[in-house]
Amino acid sequence: AQKVTQAQTEISVVEKEDVTLDCVYETRDTTYYLFWYKQPPSGELVFLIRRNSFDEQNEISGRYSWNFQKSTSSFNFTITASQVVDSAVYFCALSEVNYGGSQGNLIFGKGTKLSVKP
Amino acid sequence: AAGVIQSPRHLIKEKRETATLKCYPIPRHDTVYWYQQGPGQDPQFLISFYEKMQSDKGSIPDRFSAQQFSDYHSELNMSSLELGDSALYFCATHPGGLSEKLFFGSGTQLSVL
């Protein structure tokens, strides 16, 4: 069975602090996709990143960085120099890889609510 | 660029009524997923379609049904509504094959009174 665990329910930081959101996953599949989505108070789901299980290279995009460690089944997300606009619920998700390489349906973690205070 | 369109944006119904939610994919997207997100919860997969055929089924109640039409839009039909059906319903689509991501609509907020 597939499962995603985000142990941190809520995190509160002060602007400009760095913050890391943890994600641990379980799957029996040898190939899979991992994702992070942001859900601001307005409610829409904003795609942040997709990572293929074969690609363990860490990625940086501006203030965002992701650390994928297959050995510990973790896919952590770090925001550097956080800003008030980063306040949102962040979901980690997992999907299988279908025939042809497309993703299957998403299994979401429970989400981490990040509050960044000025 | 065109996005995934969901209608209505908000819907208020009473218990035991029916509701129909609609999803219009981005052009050339042939795969549709429906998710339900209760208050303070993570999105839960309900059902998916590929090329107008049901491709996978999640935790969708028997009171709900869905289909994908020839123009690839999809409708989620919900009958005998219960208070617990109050949630944000997302539709997500992708063009099949190797794709960077699912494209999510803005969701339909259903409130059952």
Side-chain angles (χ1 to χ4, degrees):
Chain A
Q2 296 180 319
K3 186 179 177 181
V4 176
T5 301
Q6 294 179 254
Q8 305 147 309
T9 306
E10 291 191 44
I11 299 176
S12 182
V13 299
V14 176
E15 211 171 16
K16 295 182 186 171
E17 284 186 7
D18 299 346
V19 58
T20 295
L21 309 182
D22 298 333
C23 173
V24 174
Y25 63 92
E26 295 174 32
T27 180
R28 290 199 189 101
D29 295 334
T30 54
T31 58
Y32 46 90
Y33 290 122
L34 294 165
F35 304 79
W36 277 95
Y37 281 86
K38 174 183 179 180
Q39 189 172 42
S42 51
E44 73 271 23
L45 282 167
V46 179
F47 169 85
L48 296 178
I49 189 172
R50 182 181 87 168
R51 173 64 68 217
N52 186 306
S53 55
F54 286 136
D55 182 4
E56 289 193 68
Q57 189 171 12
N58 292 329
E59 179 157 340
I60 298 174
S61 176
R63 296 184 298 107
Y64 295 169
S65 62
W66 292 269
N67 184 351
F68 175 31
Q69 292 198 341
K70 214 167 175 178
S71 60
T72 56
S73 298
S74 65
F75 186 43
N76 297 337
F77 172 33
T78 297
I79 302 175
T80 303
S82 59
Q83 300 176 1
V84 172
V85 293
D86 295 328
S87 297
V89 178
Y90 290 85
F91 290 99
C92 180
L94 169 72
S95 83
E96 61 187 5
V97 179
N98 290 331
Y99 177 78
S102 66
Q103 63 184 72
N105 76 75
L106 293 168
I107 308 298
F108 286 88
K110 295 297 182 188
T112 297
K113 183 177 181 181
L114 174 65
S115 299
V116 182
K117 302 187 187 313
Chain B
V4 178
I5 306 297
Q6 288 189 248
S7 70
R9 187 73 178 90
H10 301 275
L11 188 58
I12 299 174
K13 290 286 185 178
E14 303 220 340
K15 281 197 312 183
R16 292 181 288 278
E17 286 191 323
T18 61
T20 297
L21 310 185
K22 297 183 180 182
C23 170
Y24 297 89
I26 294 170
R28 291 183 297 280
H29 282 204
D30 55 12
T31 304
V32 173
Y33 294 85
W34 285 97
Y35 289 86
Q36 177 192 57
Q37 186 179 23
Q41 302 296 314
D42 55 299
Q44 294 288 319
F45 168 67
L46 292 178
I47 195 167
S48 62
F49 294 89
Y50 169 65
E51 279 292 342
K52 293 156 279 185
M53 301 283 289
Q54 181 181 308
S55 55
D56 201 358
K57 197 172 180 180
S59 50
I60 184 169
D62 292 340
R63 299 178 290 108
F64 294 6
S65 65
Q67 57 182 324
Q68 186 179 29
F69 294 86
S70 57
D71 64 352
Y72 295 103
H73 93 273
S74 179
E75 295 184 3
L76 177 65
N77 299 293
M78 310 158 71
S79 62
S80 302
L81 286 170
E82 301 174 357
L83 296 178
D85 296 329
S86 297
L88 185 57
Y89 290 83
F90 286 107
C91 159
T93 74
H94 72 69
L98 192 59
S99 172
E100 277 300 306
K101 59 185 178 182
L102 280 180
F103 292 79
F104 277 86
S106 298
T108 293
Q109 181 65 57
L110 172 65
S111 299
V112 181
L113 307 179

